Amino acid sequence: SQQGEEDPQALSIQEGENATMNCSYKTSINNLQWYRQNSGRGLVHLILIRSNEREKHSGRLRVTLDTSKKSSSLLITASRAADTASYFCATDTGRRALTFGSGTRLQVQP
Amino acid sequence: ETGVTQSPTHLIKTRGQQVTLRCSSQSGHNTVSWYQQALGQGPQFIFQYYREEENGRGNFPPRFSGLQFPNYSSELNVNALELDDSALYLCASSPQGGTLRATQYFGPGTRLLVL
């Protein structure tokens, strides 16, 4: 079963716009991670936020975590065509596995 | 690109056959995890190997089995293939074992089609 659920399932924006994706999960976590996947290939780690952190930045990425609401958001600022991909949140509950959501498919139009 | 490699890239098998997928972990990583990703879904955890022993398992039947070798490379074996086993199989390595605190580094995957 998948703990995380991303919202929206699909998102289409113009280059230069910001993209926001949300993730909800069900149980307590040690950390939450965001990954990107291009065209059904391997996943690339983007950012990890620990359960005691509320916000984290990496380049054009901003991640927030609200453990009281069991939710996280990923913001990509000034999007580029190369950001077109599927984005997954993954939760680490300390049970030796990452639990992934079903992903958000982002299309950035040039 | 991570230093994780997988082989083969694509594979076609028929129902009932057996398949072995291979993964070489990133240098310095001693933990390997395997995931199954069905089309349009997120990856699902199959199992993890640490120091050549299974270190956690997801909700997959025993016909999914694995090995880890002294050089930390790994194999995923699937017996009695079923049509629903058609998926992208992803291998990920990480530098810590025991408790999963570190980032996982994914390989490009093996796409398996069962006919």
Side-chain angles (χ1 to χ4, degrees):
Chain A
S1 64
Q2 296 184 309
Q3 167 164 240
E5 291 298 330
E6 284 90 343
D7 170 52
Q9 291 186 343
L11 181 61
S12 182
I13 60 174
Q14 297 293 318
E15 233 177 358
E17 294 182 336
N18 295 342
T20 299
M21 288 159 265
N22 303 297
C23 168
S24 60
Y25 58 92
K26 297 174 185 172
T27 63
S28 297
I29 61 172
N30 289 331
N31 63 66
L32 185 145
Q33 305 179 33
W34 285 89
Y35 287 81
R36 186 183 78 191
Q37 185 176 41
N38 287 66
S39 301
R41 300 304 289 173
L43 285 86
V44 175
H45 179 260
L46 297 176
I47 197 164
L48 180 153
I49 186 165
R50 301 193 186 283
S51 59
N52 61 353
E53 298 176 312
R54 292 297 168 258
E55 188 171 310
K56 205 159 183 181
H57 296 255
S58 176
R60 294 185 295 113
L61 305 180
R62 172 179 170 254
V63 168
T64 62
L65 179 64
D66 187 334
T67 53
S68 67
K69 295 181 180 178
K70 292 186 170 60
S71 67
S72 174
S73 67
L74 170 67
L75 168 68
I76 304 174
T77 60
S79 62
R80 306 165 181 168
D83 294 328
T84 294
S86 291
Y87 292 81
F88 294 90
C89 69
T91 51
D92 170 8
T93 61
R95 298 183 64 185
R96 302 186 176 91
L98 288 178
T99 303
F100 286 84
S102 51
T104 292
R105 290 178 296 283
L106 173 65
Q107 177 75 40
V108 181
Q109 307 285 351
Chain B
E1 292 228 352
T2 69
V4 180
T5 61
Q6 291 186 245
S7 63
T9 56
H10 295 84
L11 202 52
I12 300 175
K13 291 286 188 177
T14 56
R15 196 170 43 183
Q17 285 188 312
Q18 177 266 343
V19 68
T20 297
L21 310 181
R22 295 178 176 82
C23 170
S24 291
S25 60
Q26 187 164 313
S27 177
H29 289 186
N30 56 14
T31 300
V32 173
S33 302
W34 286 91
Y35 293 82
Q36 179 196 66
Q37 186 179 21
L39 198 61
Q41 299 295 316
Q44 293 213 18
F45 175 71
I46 302 175
F47 44 55
Q48 183 184 93
Y49 277 84
Y50 171 61
R51 292 185 177 176
E52 303 178 56
E53 292 195 1
E54 190 177 288
N55 189 43
R57 189 179 183 92
N59 190 26
F60 280 82
R63 60 188 184 84
F64 285 78
S65 63
L67 284 173
Q68 187 180 33
F69 300 99
N71 66 355
Y72 305 130
S73 65
S74 177
E75 286 182 355
L76 164 66
N77 299 290
V78 187
N79 294 323
L81 283 167
E82 301 176 359
L83 297 180
D84 285 349
D85 295 334
S86 295
L88 181 67
Y89 288 84
L90 295 161
C91 165
S93 71
S94 53
Q96 289 178 297
T99 55
L100 187 63
R101 294 286 185 270
T103 299
Q104 295 199 16
Y105 298 83
F106 283 83
T110 293
R111 188 164 295 282
L112 172 65
L113 178 61
V114 182
L115 300 176

